[in-house]
Amino acid sequence: MSERLLIVIGIFLIVLLLTQALTAPITGASAQSRRRLRERIAQLSSQVMETEQISLARHDYLQGLKPYERWLESWPIFAPLVSLIEQAGVKIPAYRLVLLALGGVLAGLTLVPLFTGNEVLILGATVLGGLGPWIWLKRKQATRLMQFEESLPDGLSMLSRTLRAGLPLSQALLTVSQEMTGPVAKEFGIVFNELNYGGDLRNAFLSMLERIPSLAVMAMAVAIMIQRETGGNLAETMDRLERLQRERFRFQRHLRTLTASNRTSAWIIGLIPFFLAGVLELLSPGYLATLTEHPVGQLLLYFALGLQGLGALWIRRMVRLDV
């Protein structure tokens, strides 16, 4: 690795640390909330593991794998990836994703040099190839969680009406799973199957919370477990949770409306340098040759691209609000 590339990487890391130090007071609250939620879910999940039981969904998934795949899935090193796969709602063994990531890294190190000798492009392609499966999983997880939370108020409303009709909780869960579609129907169906096969109510809902790490699911699970232990009007509690969830989404939509102009401005500001570079090269071919061919120009270009990326991340964190 050349000294020039080391200098670029060093400058990038220094600017990244400085940016994190400056943005921490602004965005630290949402990060702390997410961390507390993860810690609470981990604590509740550990209580499930202490009972040495496994959810029905996890059991069915493992039964569909080959013996050596089940053995690989049991490795502790794959546990975080397995949890992320369950939250994303995909049925892919963890070791296959690791192999895909390794294949992306090898492709970046072997195929990209055949087309270009630029070390930065090779490094970027290698990193992108290695992180590609993880980025895909995170997007699937976020999409599934958003779909679940958007449909949850309708599910809670149907659950409340079914309980008011006099049906037990298990039949109410079955009704929701049959009448609705998407992640809500699937998750409520999994909970019903676990209860129908003699599973514990607490473990069933905590397993659901582990698959859907959401405050709304945590509130619903806690409310149902408390009602089972102490009694109370569960239908009325579900109505309150439904209203609270709808108000939460109404507030989120209002926030997205208020920050829409800021997000648009961020896109425009981020694309202006590339647009101007393309226009200059089109109107005057070779005008940017000094910047792209001279060592000092390349160093300045890499530094500018690094700052551009940090600025995009900074703006993204400023306009992204978690409520």
Side-chain angles (χ1 to χ4, degrees):
M1 187 177 294
S2 64
E3 296 181 358
R4 183 177 62 197
L5 182 58
L6 291 176
I7 294 175
V8 172
I9 295 176
I11 294 175
F12 179 81
L13 293 176
I14 292 173
V15 175
L16 177 62
L17 293 176
L18 290 176
T19 304
Q20 293 296 320
L22 292 175
T23 57
I26 300 175
T27 60
S30 61
Q32 291 178 2
S33 300
R34 291 193 297 270
R35 187 180 68 252
R36 287 196 296 267
L37 175 60
R38 288 194 298 267
E39 291 176 353
R40 181 57 177 164
I41 291 175
Q43 180 182 359
L44 293 174
S45 300
S46 64
Q47 297 175 6
V48 178
M49 298 304 295
E50 290 174 359
T51 61
E52 297 185 356
Q53 295 185 6
I54 187 170
S55 67
L56 184 62
R58 180 65 177 165
H59 180 269
D60 292 341
Y61 168 72
L62 292 176
Q63 288 299 316
L65 300 179
K66 298 178 181 179
Y68 75 91
E69 291 179 327
R70 289 197 295 269
W71 176 68
L72 290 174
E73 289 285 299
S74 64
W75 287 14
I77 192 174
F78 287 146
L81 185 57
V82 169
S83 177
L84 182 60
I85 290 174
E86 291 181 350
Q87 294 172 8
V90 297
K91 295 183 178 181
I92 300 177
Y95 79 94
R96 292 185 186 176
L97 287 173
V98 175
L99 292 179
L100 286 175
L102 293 177
V105 171
L106 292 177
L109 293 176
T110 57
L111 298 181
V112 178
L114 299 178
F115 301 95
T116 179
N118 192 304
E119 296 177 347
V120 175
L121 292 179
I122 296 174
L123 178 62
T126 302
V127 173
L128 184 60
L131 295 180
W134 181 80
I135 296 175
W136 175 73
L137 270 183
K138 293 294 289 185
R139 290 185 63 87
K140 292 284 291 185
Q141 178 201 30
T143 301
R144 186 168 186 265
L145 180 60
M146 182 180 63
Q147 292 175 350
F148 182 90
E149 291 189 337
E150 286 180 352
S151 303
L152 184 59
D154 295 333
L156 292 176
S157 177
M158 186 177 297
L159 188 66
S160 174
R161 293 195 302 269
T162 309
L163 291 173
R164 291 183 188 278
L167 294 178
L169 178 61
S170 58
Q171 291 300 316
L173 295 172
L174 177 61
T175 302
V176 175
S177 66
Q178 292 177 342
E179 297 296 330
M180 296 193 64
T181 58
V184 170
K186 182 177 180 180
E187 291 297 330
F188 276 68
I190 292 175
V191 174
F192 166 76
N193 289 332
E194 292 186 359
L195 296 178
N196 195 38
Y197 283 99
D200 182 67
L201 177 68
R202 177 184 179 87
N203 291 335
F205 276 100
L206 290 182
S207 297
M208 178 182 178
L209 179 59
E210 189 175 0
R211 295 189 301 270
I212 306 291
S214 169
L215 288 173
V217 177
M218 180 182 293
M220 180 186 66
V222 170
I224 292 177
M225 288 186 291
I226 291 177
Q227 189 272 341
R228 278 303 177 95
E229 294 178 0
T230 63
N233 192 338
L234 183 58
E236 183 178 352
T237 303
M238 294 298 103
D239 285 335
R240 292 179 180 177
L241 287 177
E242 176 204 352
R243 290 194 297 268
L244 179 62
Q245 187 70 3
R246 293 189 187 277
E247 288 295 330
R248 177 170 173 260
F249 271 101
R250 187 178 295 110
F251 182 62
Q252 285 181 337
R253 287 193 294 268
H254 182 61
L255 282 180
R256 284 196 293 267
T257 302
L258 293 177
T259 59
S261 60
N262 296 331
R263 293 196 300 270
T264 304
S265 300
W267 276 104
I268 294 174
I269 294 174
L271 294 177
I272 279 179
F274 303 98
F275 175 76
L276 291 179
V279 170
L280 288 175
E281 187 64 25
L282 181 63
L283 297 178
S284 180
Y287 184 81
L288 301 176
T290 304
L291 184 63
T292 57
E293 296 177 0
H294 196 276
V296 178
Q298 292 177 355
L299 182 61
L300 292 176
L301 183 61
Y302 298 150
F303 183 70
L305 291 176
L307 291 180
Q308 187 81 2
L310 290 176
L313 292 176
W314 192 342
I315 295 176
R316 182 176 182 271
R317 292 192 63 179
M318 291 180 65
V319 300
R320 182 179 179 182
L321 302 174
D322 296 331
V323 293

